[in-house]
Amino acid sequence: MFTLYNGLAVALVVSLAPVSLALLLLRGETSSRAAAAVRRGVGRLVPSGALRWIDWRTIALIVGIGYAAVAGVDLLTGNYECAGIGLTSDPVALLHSGQAFWAGGSPFLVGDCGVTTEIPYGLAAIGVNAVGSLGGLAGIAAAWGLVAVAVLPLVWYATPEPDRRYVTLFVALLPIYFPLVADQIDGASNAIVPVAVLATIVLGARFGRLGELLGGFLSTARFPTLFPVVAARGGEKRWLLAGLTAIGAFALTTLATYARWGSGFYRVVFESQVNRRSFSLNLYGILLDHALLPTGTAIVVAQAGLIVGITAVAFFLVRTPLRAAAVTLVGYALVTPFLSFSILLALVPVALVGQRPRYWLWGVAIVGALNYDLALTLAAWQWGVYLPTDLLDAVLTVLLVGLFAELLWRRGDDLVTATSGGPKPLSAAGSP
């Protein structure tokens, strides 16, 4: 159902789209007329040096205040609570998941407003639910809000100078970041994917194996996260050990979870997600809208083979961690038959790779937001008109294919986090 929040989200996207585009143009080619016009406009509106005080703390504080304001309104107005029997609430489900963890029950299958709901997230996410549940619904909102805000310092430290301020601000303005995490708890919880990828790269550059261990553990929150985490380690000098360390941490955590909760955990977290076909914002969305997507194991096997192949290509052939992770993330967005709006948040690390991929990412973010908030939620689900979302599904797929090709074949403007000694830029591309 189209709600006030959908309307506000659309308004925010429309407001942020030209601002984020202007930021891209501001750091674009010096010979570009559009970039020159933006620089003149900014020069008139913003005093020289006025933005130098902005760092990740300032940006994170503003985002945190905005998130807290939206969450506060939701809590005070009862939007986080059950609206009636059968009218499920994601925050309530996450709260009950955390409470079940402390009570010794299954945190993967819980009561939610009179019905039973699956919590398809692994142990890393269940841990966040458990900590947050100590503070009730407010605690759940705060716990996942911290995860969402953690994206910003990780973006800052994974980006070499002189681009840190610019890239962090660009990420904060993307429709797949703040509007998404503030509008729905599912968006905030999906922030754990870019957190896992960026934490692997940042900590791996400074502390070696700690990055892979943490990345492997955090990948259990959303199991496809393991693919970009492993791909990012292919650029290591000891690449085989780096990849096996991340896989080992994921495997040990998963086995321990299975030993504790059994097949119910495996069915909810792995089987149900692999076979999920509710809707999608990529080309699969058109097939799903018209009941044309084949069922059965063959398509699942084919998709698994594709993402494993993409991961292998990124791991063995792409030598920079950020680009390798970005290739795998975009590849997954193309092959998954369930590309929800919140999953697009996983593409945030693409913003760190270079200026050209940022333009593609901007297009993906705008089209994805308008598709979900208007074409799908309003036109398709409320009015029964599927043509707009079908068209935007096709457009988003084209943009993802273009971004995938850009990442795989153009490697001249990478922002690279070195494997030791901290982040160091390899070129000045993308700088003013």
Side-chain angles (χ1 to χ4, degrees):
M1 180 181 295
F2 192 83
T3 65
L4 174 62
Y5 274 104
N6 293 112
L8 292 175
V10 171
L12 194 55
V13 169
V14 172
S15 301
L16 292 180
V19 177
S20 51
L21 180 59
L23 186 63
L24 281 174
L25 293 172
L26 188 64
R27 296 293 289 240
E29 296 293 332
T30 56
S31 59
S32 167
R33 292 183 179 179
V38 170
R39 290 191 186 96
R40 288 194 298 271
V42 171
R44 296 189 188 99
L45 296 174
V46 182
S48 178
L51 300 181
R52 293 178 182 175
W53 56 272
I54 295 180
D55 62 7
W56 73 263
R57 298 174 185 83
T58 310
I59 301 171
L61 178 62
I62 295 171
V63 169
I65 291 173
Y67 177 89
V70 175
V73 171
D74 283 333
L75 289 165
L76 291 173
T77 58
N79 285 339
Y80 276 1
E81 300 173 1
C82 296
I85 300 298
L87 299 176
T88 59
S89 166
D90 286 345
V92 170
L94 298 182
L95 172 63
H96 290 171
S97 173
Q99 291 172 338
F101 176 86
W102 294 120
S106 172
F108 306 102
L109 203 62
V110 300
D112 179 11
C113 303
V115 299
T116 300
T117 295
E118 294 181 346
I119 307 295
Y121 311 137
L123 192 60
I126 295 300
V128 178
N129 291 339
V131 173
S133 68
L134 299 175
L137 287 173
I140 290 291
W144 284 112
L146 288 174
V147 173
V149 173
V151 169
L152 297 172
L154 288 170
V155 167
W156 179 273
Y157 286 109
T159 306
E161 291 288 7
D163 293 294
R164 282 177 167 174
R165 181 178 292 104
Y166 160 56
V167 173
T168 307
L169 189 57
F170 173 71
V171 167
L173 293 172
L174 277 177
I176 56 172
Y177 179 62
F178 177 70
L180 177 55
V181 301
D183 179 50
Q184 49 183 289
I185 198 73
D186 190 41
S189 63
N190 269 281
I192 202 166
V193 177
V195 164
V197 173
L198 295 173
T200 302
I201 293 171
V202 171
L203 294 181
R206 290 160 174 78
F207 305 108
R209 300 287 78 83
L210 179 61
E212 286 95 40
L213 287 171
L214 181 61
F217 170 72
L218 291 177
S219 296
T220 62
R222 308 284 192 278
F223 73 89
T225 311
L226 182 64
F227 297 118
V229 164
V230 170
R233 309 325 293 154
E236 291 279 350
K237 292 180 180 178
R238 302 176 68 182
W239 53 268
L240 182 59
L241 178 59
L244 290 176
T245 300
I247 293 172
F250 176 89
L252 288 175
T253 305
T254 300
L255 287 173
T257 309
Y258 185 87
R260 172 62 183 84
W261 285 287
S263 59
F265 148 73
Y266 177 81
R267 182 185 61 79
V268 171
V269 173
F270 290 93
E271 286 186 4
S272 67
Q273 291 306 291
V274 167
N275 293 298
R276 189 165 183 179
R277 301 288 188 272
S278 50
F279 70 94
S280 190
L281 299 183
N282 55 16
L283 200 61
Y284 287 104
I286 301 175
L287 301 177
L288 289 169
D289 290 343
H290 304 283
L292 297 175
L293 183 64
T295 58
T297 59
I299 189 169
V300 174
V301 172
Q303 290 158 354
L306 284 171
I307 189 58
V308 169
I310 291 169
T311 304
V313 168
F315 183 82
F316 289 109
L317 300 182
V318 182
R319 296 293 85 195
T320 58
L322 284 167
R323 185 173 288 266
V327 166
T328 312
L329 287 165
V330 177
Y332 177 77
L334 280 168
V335 304
T336 179
F338 179 62
L339 181 65
S340 70
F341 182 42
S342 58
I343 290 177
L344 288 178
L345 182 58
L347 299 181
V348 159
V350 173
L352 283 68
V353 176
Q355 182 70 0
R356 287 175 61 94
R358 281 191 284 274
Y359 280 105
W360 286 102
L361 182 62
W362 181 86
V364 168
I366 301 302
V367 172
L370 295 178
N371 191 353
Y372 179 77
D373 287 319
L374 285 179
L376 194 62
T377 303
L378 181 61
W381 291 343
Q382 192 161 322
W383 297 342
V385 180
Y386 282 87
L387 180 60
T389 188
D390 287 346
L391 291 174
L392 290 177
D393 287 344
V395 172
L396 187 64
T397 302
V398 170
L399 290 172
L400 288 171
V401 169
L403 177 56
F404 185 77
E406 177 74 33
L407 291 168
L408 200 56
W409 281 290
R410 287 182 59 92
R411 305 179 186 178
D413 59 348
D414 287 42
L415 299 181
V416 181
T417 299
T419 55
S420 61
K424 299 174 183 178
L426 291 186
S427 74
S431 300

